[in-house]
Structure formats: structure tokens, C-alpha cells
Amino acid sequence: MSKNNLVIYIISDSIGETAEQVARAGISQFSLEEYEIRRFPYITDRQQIMEMLEEAKQEQAVIVFTMVVESLKNILIEEADKNNIPWIDIMTPVIDSMSKVLHNSPRREPGLIRRLDERYFRKVEAIEFAVKYDDGKDPRGLKKADLVLIGISRTSKTPLSMYLAHKNVKVANVPLVPEVPPPKELYNVPSKKIIGLTTNPMKLIEIRQERLKALGLKHEANYASMDRILEELDFAEEIMKKLGCPVIDVSSKAVEESASIILEIFREIGYKIGNGK
């Protein structure tokens, strides 16, 4: 191997992406005419390590590795030293330092960062879903949802949708208004996937009056009148009975409490929603 021709073996008990990124960052600091990176992911036994080291020795390669399984890491270091193969251990200094600070032992399980990334992207997907199918914007989302919330205005449909989205649950919500028939797609959703939201009329008057105040409108508007609220609640109750869905009263509950009740309802009926909650 000439000084301008470098071969790097990336070895990992996971996919090796972290080690490759670090190796490339290091290489960028040198003016190399050519170099080659070879990645060997999912290394799980001694035989695989020995075969790679034999090849690395012949090619005068440098080994960069991320091995969190202690036994495999020790084999790799011991055998590389015996064969005078230069090696760089990416993970051990980081894990050891964190272990000292946290006063805790690492789990030593390969691939955990991938699982964290997957949960993160599922959460982002659920949040985007909640925004897209909020307030009945597109009824086509009802059949794709893990959960559908229905209720009249100011029954926490949107806050609950967003809160549950952060738990990887895809939620669509539909407002119930006497003058507007519910979308036909709602009646094709299994009742076990629907939660009805109701509230105390007196509490709702207060909430709606505050809403009108924030908008600079008069408190006497029909939106905040008792007759109108009772009409809407009766209409919603009729729809919920027709759908045969569970109903919860959100009038004196925080969003977190309502969400907990919803998730508990689904656990009790054995319907699983949201991957990786």
C-alpha cells in the first residue's frame, strides 16, 4: 500500500454506517489520490472476524470498527494486534465516557440507533398525518388512520390528535356539525377505531366564549349559546350511537389524561395502534 493508496475495512456488528462516516471525515483531511472503503456489516462470530482480518492483512488495510458486543470487540483487537493490522475503535471511548458520567452500564446491543431512528421517523409520519387529516380536511384519510376522533367544536380533537401523534399514532379527526352530514367514509371505519368526544355544556360555553373573545367577536354569537351547544351535543350523541363507538367526556380532563384513557380503551379491546409506542 502506497502512502496515497488507502484501503479501509469498516467492521460492525450492526450496519457500520457510523464507522464509515467517521472514516470518511478522517480521510477528508488528507490529499489522497485514491482510497477504498469496504464495509462488513452484521458481524456475529469469530470465524467472520478471522476471515476479514486475513484479507485485511494481505491488503495492508486499516480497520475502523464499531463493535458493541464486548466479546467480538476483544477478539477483533486481539487478532488484529497479532497480525500487526492497525485498528481504530470508534465506539468504546464514547461508551466508556458516557458510562462514567451516567454511572450506568451500556446495554451492548448492536443496532439500537437504527431502532431509535425508526421510532423517530414513525413519529414524524404520524405528526404529518395528523396535520393532513385534521378537522375532516380529507375524508380519504379515515381508512388509513389508526384512530379517528369525532366530536363537536372545542372538544380537543386537534390537541388530542397531535399528542397521540407524538406517540406514533396516526389520528384523523372529524368535526360533527348538525348542518353538515358526516362523511360517508366515516361509516366504513370499524367502530373499534373510533372515539367520540363529548363535554359538559356549561364548560363548553366558557371555552367558546373565550374563543369568541380572542377573535374579537361578541359573546352573544350563536356559536356560544346554550341552545346551539345542546343542539350540537344531541346531534353528536346520535351519530356516536349510530357508529357504536366508545365516548369519553373531556370537559374536566387535560389532553394527557384524555389520551391515556383513549389508549387504555384500545388496550382493553385488544386493538393495537401506533407502532413502537
Side-chain angles (χ1 to χ4, degrees), residues 19-84:
E20 181 170 343
Q21 289 176 342
V22 173
R24 290 188 183 279
I27 290 169
S28 70
Q29 299 298 314
F30 301 89
S31 299
L32 294 181
E33 294 178 3
E34 58 179 300
Y35 66 89
E36 183 176 354
I37 292 180
R38 300 180 188 172
R39 195 194 295 189
F40 300 87
Y42 304 114
I43 301 307
T44 58
D45 59 49
R46 181 189 184 94
Q47 184 60 34
Q48 290 174 303
I49 291 174
M50 298 303 293
E51 290 174 359
M52 284 182 299
L53 290 179
E54 181 61 33
E55 293 179 19
K57 183 178 180 179
Q58 293 176 9
E59 294 193 280
Q60 295 182 287
V62 174
I63 292 174
V64 179
F65 66 89
T66 49
M67 305 287 285
V68 297
V69 177
E70 192 82 8
S71 58
L72 294 177
K73 182 195 76 171
N74 292 338
I75 291 170
L76 178 57
I77 292 174
E78 181 182 348
E79 295 300 328
D81 284 344
K82 284 182 184 178
N83 290 278
N84 297 314

Side-chain angles (χ1 to χ4, degrees), residues 151-211:
I152 66 174
S153 175
R154 319 314 294 179
T155 51
S156 300
K157 295 186 300 299
T158 297
L160 271 170
S161 295
M162 295 306 298
Y163 184 88
L164 289 164
H166 279 82
K167 294 185 174 295
N168 303 338
V169 182
K170 292 182 179 179
V171 185
N173 70 73
V174 178
L176 298 179
V177 184
E179 293 77 16
V180 181
K184 62 181 184 300
E185 290 86 352
L186 181 61
Y187 294 99
N188 294 325
V189 177
S191 59
K192 66 181 181 180
K193 292 177 61 174
I194 303 173
I195 293 287
L197 305 176
T198 189
T199 188
N200 180 282
M202 296 304 298
K203 183 69 174 179
L204 191 55
I205 284 180
E206 294 177 15
I207 294 172
R208 289 192 176 184
Q209 284 180 345
E210 286 299 315
R211 176 63 174 165

Side-chain angles (χ1 to χ4, degrees), residues 49-274:
I49 291 174
M50 298 303 293
E51 290 174 359
M52 284 182 299
L53 290 179
E54 181 61 33
E55 293 179 19
K57 183 178 180 179
Q58 293 176 9
E59 294 193 280
Q60 295 182 287
V62 174
I63 292 174
V64 179
F65 66 89
T66 49
M67 305 287 285
V68 297
V69 177
E70 192 82 8
S71 58
L72 294 177
K73 182 195 76 171
N74 292 338
I75 291 170
L76 178 57
I77 292 174
E78 181 182 348
E79 295 300 328
D81 284 344
K82 284 182 184 178
N83 290 278
N84 297 314
I85 301 171
W87 53 265
I88 302 164
D89 180 357
I90 302 295
M91 291 296 291
T92 297
V94 178
I95 290 176
D96 286 351
S97 295
M98 289 186 174
S99 183
K100 290 177 183 177
V101 172
L102 298 171
H103 304 290
N104 199 358
S105 299
R107 291 162 63 179
R108 297 288 180 186
E109 295 179 34
L112 290 180
I113 190 171
R114 297 288 295 179
R115 293 180 221 170
L116 289 173
D117 287 345
E118 287 169 7
R119 284 199 292 271
Y120 170 77
F121 286 115
R122 282 199 297 269
K123 180 185 294 186
V124 170
E125 185 180 4
I127 292 170
E128 291 176 345
F129 187 94
V131 172
K132 183 174 182 180
Y133 299 111
D134 180 46
D135 209 30
K137 290 175 185 173
D138 185 350
R140 292 175 298 180
L142 297 180
K143 67 178 181 180
K144 305 174 188 176
D146 294 323
L147 163 63
V148 177
L149 299 177
I150 61 173
I152 66 174
S153 175
R154 319 314 294 179
T155 51
S156 300
K157 295 186 300 299
T158 297
L160 271 170
S161 295
M162 295 306 298
Y163 184 88
L164 289 164
H166 279 82
K167 294 185 174 295
N168 303 338
V169 182
K170 292 182 179 179
V171 185
N173 70 73
V174 178
L176 298 179
V177 184
E179 293 77 16
V180 181
K184 62 181 184 300
E185 290 86 352
L186 181 61
Y187 294 99
N188 294 325
V189 177
S191 59
K192 66 181 181 180
K193 292 177 61 174
I194 303 173
I195 293 287
L197 305 176
T198 189
T199 188
N200 180 282
M202 296 304 298
K203 183 69 174 179
L204 191 55
I205 284 180
E206 294 177 15
I207 294 172
R208 289 192 176 184
Q209 284 180 345
E210 286 299 315
R211 176 63 174 165
L212 291 173
K213 183 178 178 181
L215 295 173
L217 300 174
K218 295 181 179 181
H219 287 189
E220 294 78 15
N222 187 46
Y223 174 74
S225 73
M226 179 59 78
D227 287 344
R228 174 61 183 181
I229 286 173
L230 291 175
E231 179 188 4
E232 291 184 31
L233 287 172
D234 287 344
F235 174 75
E237 183 181 1
E238 181 182 342
I239 297 297
M240 293 170 192
K241 285 181 178 178
K242 188 178 297 185
L243 292 168
C245 65
V247 179
I248 64 172
D249 187 335
V250 300
S251 54
S252 58
K253 296 180 180 65
V255 169
E256 296 85 353
E257 185 181 358
S258 296
S260 178
I261 292 171
I262 289 170
L263 294 175
E264 183 60 31
I265 288 172
F266 282 105
R267 278 191 287 268
E268 287 179 357
I269 65 175
Y271 180 66
K272 295 181 181 180
I273 58 174

